[in-house]
Structures are given as structure tokens and as C-alpha cells.
Amino acid sequence: MSVLLVGDGNFSFSRSLCTSPAAPSISSLVATSYDSKSSLLKKYGDGAQSNIDALLACGWVVRHEVDGRNLERYFPDDTRFDYIYFMHPLVDPDDRVRLVFDGKINNGEDIVVANRLLIADFLRSAKHFLSHPHGEIRVACKDTYPYTWWRVSQLGKLARPLKLKDVELFRNEDFPGYEPRTVEMDKAFPSSKSKMYKFAVLKEADGVEFEEQWYGEKELKLQIVCSICEKQFTSEADKARHLKTEKHHIRAKLE
């Protein structure tokens, strides 16, 4: 299986794929970072260099300054991968500043929009490099606020003919050595309560798109709900009060 990894930060996930029992059997692997090598080493230190050295020793390819939103710039048109991963994507802080400065987003809730665009643009680009008929694009994202506001499960609709194939709980322990890091510094963040979203170009016979329920693994105990804010209520009066809140109006605007 051929694998491409986009925006891998300190390259620990790429390295973990080489030994993980949960990973596909790999025949070729290209691991990329959004940062330049000098910026990456300044940010993540010796750990990143150790991961890069391990990948190169395995014969895999390591590339820097690759923007996953525009993969066409870096790979020939006929390049194909069986799996394309983007682990815990997050808009780069410099990009956030640029978007705010350009007036495209504000410095508050529109950051949600910026991250949706990041993932949607990645999917739109990555789909052209996906092998058929069994290739998959996999995006890991935390299943907590504010990440749930990104609506990852719905973003394949902006990159047709991709469809959401499946959603699984992401287990960090399945990938020994994976050390999630923030985009700004060598600081860990917990990847528990994360999900792996799997997108593919499905055949017509298998073309029913997987629908993730907003309440996930929880039991939907109440019938009075706000699916936008993912809340349940004991009465219509409680729901009516919720619908007047600023948080609901902000999230409804994002939808």
C-alpha cells in the first residue's frame, strides 16, 4: 500500500505507521510537513529529527513545505496513493493572522470557518491523488468543543465525488510512538476522544453515504433536541430559551 501523510508536525505519526498493527501494510510512504525543516526543528527539536532519521532509514520519503490544500503543486498528476492521512489538522497560526489581516475571518468564532476551509480544501485536492477503487482519505479530529463545530463528517460534500465511508474512534495506543503536537510549539495535546473520518469515492452499488449521528456513542434519551448545538432538552421551554442564546446564534450562523 502507498501512503501519503500531510501536515505531520513532528513526524511521529508517520514513524508509528511503520510498526503499528492497526496500520496498512506499507510498500511506499511519503511523509510531509507544512513547516520548512528549519522551522520544524526549531519548533519540535531533536524528537522530530529522530523521527525523520527513522523514516529515512526505512527508505521512506520526507518532504517539507508541502501545503495539503494544494497537492497539485508537489506531485505529478498521475501520482496515486492508497491512503492519505491528515492527523488532527489545525490552521497554522501564521495563516490565522493572515486571514484576520486580510479581513477574511475575525479573531473569534470564524476560526471555525478557517479550519473547515482547511479540511475542505485538503479533501478537494487529495481526492485527485487517491487510488481507485479502494483508496481512502483519513482525517483524525478531536470529538470535543470546538473541534466538533468543524463538522468534519459533512465536509466531503464540498469535495464530491468523495463520500464519508465510515467514522471510527481513534485509539492513540494503536499507534505506538505517536505524539500529537500543537502547530505552534513542542507541546503535547491529548488525542483521546478523537475520531477517524474515512472518505472514499464509493461505487454506485456501495454509494450510500455513512451518516454520523451527532450524538455519537451516547444514547439519544430525549426527543427535544437542537442538532446544531448537539443538545437535548427536557421541555420545549428549555429549548426555546436555548435558541435565544448567543452561543446558539453563533453556531447557527456558522451552519
Side-chain angles (χ1 to χ4, degrees):
M1 295 288 184
S2 57
V3 177
L4 170 66
L5 296 108
V6 170
D8 193 22
N10 65 356
F11 288 100
S12 62
F13 186 74
S14 298
R15 185 176 183 177
S16 76
L17 283 182
C18 299
T19 57
S20 169
S25 177
I26 298 172
S27 57
S28 66
L29 183 147
V30 179
T32 72
S33 69
Y34 181 70
D35 293 308
S36 66
K37 184 174 183 180
S38 59
S39 295
L40 182 136
L41 295 180
K42 182 178 179 180
K43 198 182 289 186
Y44 301 118
D46 293 340
Q49 185 62 63
S50 175
N51 291 330
I52 291 171
D53 291 342
L55 290 167
L56 295 175
C58 290
W60 307 141
V61 176
V62 175
R63 296 178 64 176
H64 304 284
E65 298 184 84
V66 174
D67 187 342
R69 296 167 294 189
N70 295 285
L71 294 172
E72 300 84 359
R73 296 180 183 175
Y74 313 97
F75 298 99
D77 291 343
D78 60 352
T79 305
R80 295 292 181 269
F81 297 99
D82 297 304
Y83 293 92
I84 302 176
Y85 285 88
F86 198 171
M87 300 300 296
H88 296 100
L90 186 66
V91 171
D92 182 87
D94 290 338
D95 284 349
R96 290 203 297 266
V97 171
R98 195 174 302 114
L99 288 167
V100 172
F101 183 79
D102 290 343
K104 294 180 179 178
I105 63 172
N106 63 39
N107 206 21
E109 284 71 24
D110 281 356
I111 294 298
V112 173
V113 176
N115 281 290
R116 285 184 183 177
L117 288 173
L118 168 67
I119 299 170
D121 287 343
F122 159 71
L123 292 174
R124 279 192 284 254
S125 181
K127 70 181 181 181
H128 299 295
F129 299 93
L130 201 59
S131 63
H132 297 294
H134 302 299
E136 287 185 5
I137 298 173
R138 298 182 173 184
V139 180
C141 189
K142 294 189 70 174
D143 192 34
T144 58
Y145 173 83
Y147 308 97
T148 51
W149 282 33
W150 300 358
R151 300 283 193 181
V152 176
S153 65
Q154 303 299 310
L155 296 179
K157 295 175 181 178
L158 303 178
R160 294 302 195 203
L162 285 182
K163 291 185 177 181
L164 183 66
K165 180 180 179 181
D166 198 8
V167 180
E168 295 180 350
L169 293 178
F170 177 75
R171 293 164 44 89
N172 204 101
E173 55 267 33
D174 288 339
F175 299 90
Y178 176 40
E179 302 169 337
R181 289 293 186 267
T182 69
V183 296
E184 300 180 51
M185 63 187 76
D186 191 22
K187 180 180 179 181
F189 67 86
S191 59
S192 59
K193 296 185 179 179
S194 291
K195 289 183 177 180
M196 184 75 86
Y197 297 85
K198 300 179 180 182
F199 298 91
V201 178
L202 302 179
K203 296 179 180 178
E204 287 300 322
D206 305 315
V208 178
E209 186 163 24
F210 182 85
E211 286 290 340
E212 182 188 24
Q213 300 299 324
W214 61 263
Y215 47 87
E217 302 298 317
K218 299 178 290 185
E219 181 183 356
L220 185 60
K221 297 180 180 180
L222 305 173
Q223 298 303 311
I224 305 172
V225 301
C226 173
S227 59
I228 291 177
C229 298
E230 304 180 354
K231 287 183 175 291
Q232 304 178 48
F233 305 95
T234 57
S235 70
E236 290 290 351
D238 283 344
K239 180 178 178 180
R241 282 190 288 271
H242 163 75
L243 295 178
K244 295 178 181 179
T245 63
E246 181 181 5
K247 185 174 182 179
H248 172 78
H249 285 297
I250 289 171
R251 188 154 186 180
K253 184 174 68 174
L254 290 171
E255 298 305 317

